[in-house]
Amino acid sequence: MATKSSIHIKPCKVTSSGPHNWRTPEYMRNIGESRIYVIPELSSDNEQWINPDFGNPDLQTHYDNVKQMVKEKTGRAMQEKERERKGKNGKIIKVAGCSPIREGVLLIRPETTLADVREFGEECQRRWGITPLQIFLHKDEGHWLGGKPDTEDKESFQVGGKWFKPNYHAHIIFDWMNHDTGKSRKLNDEDMAAMQTLASDILMMERGQSKNVTGKEHLERNDFIIEKQKAELQRIDAAKRHKEQQVELAEQELKQVKSEIRTDKLKSAATDAATAIASGVGSLFGSGKQKELEHSNVELHQEIAKRNKSIDDLKVRMQQMQEQHGKQIRNLQGVHNQELEAKDKEISRLNTILEKAFNWFPLLKEMLRMEKLCYAIGFTKDMVNSLLTKKEAIRCNGKIYSEEHRRRFEIKNDIFKIEKSSVDNNKLVLTINRQPIGEWFKEQWEKLRQGLRQSAEEPRKSRGFKL
């Protein structure tokens, strides 16, 4: 069954802890609350991208820059908080505050790449002017199933003997502002529906139905996970109801058996009366019918005794089923609570380790940014290792790619090296022949434009005049 495409847009909660990442302390707390599970073995499949055009990846800094831009462009401070105003009919209307930075959550396929989501973000920028700032692919999150998945479930897999349901998704952080006017972009319902269709086309996923058709409100990411867990609890409740139905059927069978026993007792009483009459008649006429009636009476009493034993056995079995069912429910709840507690402890431990790592290695974030930049340019793993790990300079020939200009530029025996920024010691910069790579790309782009302009002007000059 094809996975349906979905994108949910909401204001992004900006913190001073750095770019949006599932490893930041605040986001880890959200994970604990919504009971999201992380498989560490799959974390290597996660990817991230930071828009290099905005320099500093810190969202709080970008948010402050947007506030300053709005003030300069409009002459008014940006309205951040929700406010109330009186409408024409006298009613109080709530006006939402400005959300210059917004987060979108995309459902993706296991094979979806960072390039696919970047293509979606670039198309959104072209159509609606919203600029992607950061992209994060999460392929290590999901939740545990209580048992085997349904036959049509092709995504779930086993981890350590238990079944895990993955939740493949991507976070994309947008700048929602028009930096020429200082105003927020205005997207209506048709634009958002077109964005859903765009996501399904680029990511090759089935288009989800509109809430106008289904009558259902779309869920936020954490609510979606909670709904998944509720569905699992509903499955357990369904199993419980099935057992209760079995118990109810057993009780109905018990009532039917009791009814039959009452009928048998009436028959027995009638048989005893007939035996007594036959005995009196036999004593008068010497008939052998009395012994036959006595034998039938004995067999009837034996049958009643068997029925009574069956009833007792049935009661015992019903009691055992109820006790077994209660034990299973308690075991499931206990295992579930233990897993949640273990995950919370693991999250807290990882959070502590990450905080220590960033304190011990202040340039760690810069090295990660340099690594992404080198791979985007076209360097191999060995070349990146020489630049970052060995801190060596490398000499290259060929072509390198500029994301800003979306084209490749030729290099010949040029020397690349990662050095500390001359402006900020806490920043790193990739240089080519000791020139920052950004400045070098701009020079090459300007040379290319001048060459194209000259080649376009030459045919005009050669036309001459006709008399």
Side-chain angles (χ1 to χ4, degrees):
M1 181 173 65
T3 304
K4 293 184 178 180
S5 69
S6 176
I7 177 171
H8 308 293
I9 301 292
K10 62 181 180 179
C12 181
K13 191 170 186 180
V14 180
T15 66
S16 59
S17 57
H20 177 91
N21 192 310
W22 68 272
R23 294 182 175 87
T24 60
E26 181 170 359
Y27 196 61
M28 294 297 283
R29 286 199 294 273
N30 292 338
I31 288 177
E33 293 171 1
S34 59
R35 306 308 183 189
I36 301 169
Y37 298 97
V38 176
I39 300 298
E41 293 84 354
L42 303 179
S43 297
S44 59
D45 296 334
N46 293 344
E47 297 182 85
Q48 67 178 15
W49 171 82
I50 308 296
N51 193 332
D53 293 340
F54 287 86
N56 195 326
D58 181 65
L59 290 182
Q60 183 62 55
T61 300
H62 185 74
Y63 186 89
D64 295 338
N65 293 337
V66 170
K67 289 173 58 178
Q68 183 178 355
M69 179 273 296
V70 171
K71 179 68 174 178
E72 293 174 355
K73 296 288 184 180
T74 65
R76 299 186 303 271
M78 186 174 70
Q79 295 292 337
E80 302 178 67
K81 297 183 179 180
E82 182 182 71
R83 61 192 187 279
E84 295 181 348
R85 66 178 178 85
K86 184 176 293 186
K88 294 181 180 180
N89 56 0
K91 292 184 178 180
I92 300 299
I93 302 174
K94 289 188 177 181
V95 181
C98 180
S99 301
I101 301 178
R102 304 188 187 187
E103 175 187 9
V105 181
L106 280 162
L107 296 183
I108 61 175
R109 297 175 295 124
E111 59 271 20
T112 299
T113 64
L114 185 62
D116 297 331
V117 183
R118 283 190 59 188
E119 181 182 355
F120 168 77
E122 291 170 358
E123 186 64 20
C124 288
Q125 183 177 7
R126 187 185 69 81
R127 292 192 187 185
W128 299 290
I130 57 176
T131 305
L133 301 177
Q134 302 176 2
I135 296 175
F136 300 89
L137 266 63
H138 291 170
K139 297 185 177 181
D140 57 352
E141 298 180 11
H143 66 278
W144 297 103
L145 299 178
K148 291 184 177 180
D150 298 333
T151 54
E152 62 270 14
D153 184 355
K154 304 300 181 183
E155 289 187 346
S156 298
F157 52 88
Q158 282 188 300
V159 179
K162 296 186 297 182
W163 285 93
F164 185 77
K165 178 71 173 180
N167 175 28
Y168 302 114
H169 63 278
H171 298 264
I172 179 166
I173 312 299
F174 286 107
D175 183 327
W176 214 264
M177 302 298 291
N178 184 334
H179 287 248
D180 293 330
T181 64
K183 295 182 179 181
S184 177
R185 303 286 184 181
K186 305 299 182 184
L187 275 66
N188 55 30
D189 291 342
E190 293 181 358
D191 295 327
M192 300 309 296
M195 192 179 296
Q196 294 279 0
T197 302
L198 177 64
S200 65
D201 292 341
I202 293 180
L203 304 180
M204 294 181 291
M205 300 175 72
E206 181 185 346
R207 174 70 163 90
Q209 287 184 303
S210 170
K211 66 180 181 181
N212 295 328
V213 177
T214 62
K216 298 180 178 179
E217 290 292 335
H218 292 308
L219 300 177
E220 298 295 349
R221 173 182 173 276
N222 289 348
D223 294 335
F224 174 77
I225 299 299
I226 294 172
E227 288 297 322
K228 283 285 188 182
Q229 294 177 344
K230 286 182 178 178
E232 180 63 17
L233 292 176
Q234 289 175 356
R235 189 191 67 80
I236 296 175
D237 290 339
K240 177 181 178 181
R241 287 195 298 271
H242 176 69
K243 290 183 178 295
E244 290 175 348
Q245 289 175 356
Q246 290 180 331
V247 173
E248 184 178 352
L249 290 175
E251 291 177 347
Q252 292 177 356
E253 182 180 350
L254 178 60
K255 291 179 180 179
Q256 183 178 358
V257 171
K258 288 181 177 180
S259 177
E260 292 177 356
I261 289 174
R262 285 195 295 270
T263 303
D264 291 339
K265 286 183 177 179
L266 291 174
K267 291 180 179 179
S268 177
T271 303
D272 291 340
T275 301
I277 295 172
S279 177
V281 174
S283 63
L284 293 173
F285 300 97
S287 172
K289 205 70 174 176
Q290 180 180 356
K291 290 184 179 181
E292 183 178 349
L293 290 172
E294 289 177 352
H295 181 69
S296 299
N297 193 21
V298 170
E299 290 180 348
L300 186 58
H301 281 292
Q302 290 176 350
E303 185 178 351
I304 292 172
K306 290 181 180 179
R307 289 288 179 88
N308 290 335
K309 188 177 183 304
S310 299
I311 291 172
D312 293 337
D313 294 341
L314 188 59
K315 288 181 178 179
V316 172
R317 191 175 67 178
M318 286 171 55
Q319 183 67 24
Q320 291 175 347
M321 289 173 62
Q322 290 176 341
E323 292 176 356
Q324 183 180 5
H325 174 66
K327 185 178 180 180
Q328 290 176 348
I329 294 297
R330 289 191 297 273
N331 289 340
L332 286 173
Q333 291 176 342
V335 171
H336 183 64
N337 292 335
Q338 290 176 1
E339 291 175 349
L340 294 179
E341 184 179 354
K343 289 300 177 182
D344 288 340
K345 290 181 179 178
E346 180 66 14
I347 288 170
S348 177
R349 187 182 69 84
L350 292 175
N351 184 27
T352 303
I353 293 175
L354 286 172
E355 289 180 352
K356 289 181 179 179
F358 286 127
N359 290 332
W360 292 342
F361 306 101
L363 290 177
L364 179 58
K365 289 183 180 179
E366 282 295 294
M367 294 180 69
L368 292 173
R369 186 173 67 86
M370 288 292 103
E371 180 188 38
K372 290 293 181 181
L373 176 60
C374 291
Y375 281 129
I377 287 175
F379 289 166
T380 64
K381 183 177 181 180
D382 292 337
M383 297 167 71
V384 174
N385 185 48
S386 296
L387 288 168
L388 283 173
T389 306
K390 299 179 182 179
K391 299 181 180 179
E392 298 175 346
I394 60 175
R395 185 183 298 274
C396 302
N397 293 301
K399 291 184 178 181
I400 58 176
Y401 180 74
S402 170
E403 291 186 328
E404 179 181 0
H405 304 96
R406 299 185 181 179
R407 66 176 299 113
R408 296 184 180 276
F409 295 98
E410 188 172 358
I411 55 174
K412 293 182 179 180
N413 292 324
D414 292 313
I415 299 175
F416 292 85
K417 189 175 182 180
I418 292 178
E419 305 176 17
K420 284 190 176 182
S421 172
S422 59
V423 179
D424 188 348
N425 289 332
N426 293 325
K427 298 292 181 182
L428 298 177
V429 61
L430 175 64
T431 62
I432 174 172
N433 300 328
R434 292 196 170 275
Q435 181 182 13
I437 191 67
E439 296 178 3
W440 187 87
F441 275 137
K442 289 180 180 179
E443 289 183 1
Q444 302 305 311
W445 175 249
E446 189 62 30
K447 291 179 182 178
L448 179 63
R449 290 178 58 187
Q450 292 177 358
L452 293 175
R453 189 181 300 112
Q454 291 176 0
S455 62
E457 292 176 353
E458 287 178 359
R460 299 178 192 166
K461 295 179 180 179
S462 63
R463 291 178 183 177
F465 293 95
K466 291 183 179 181
L467 297 178

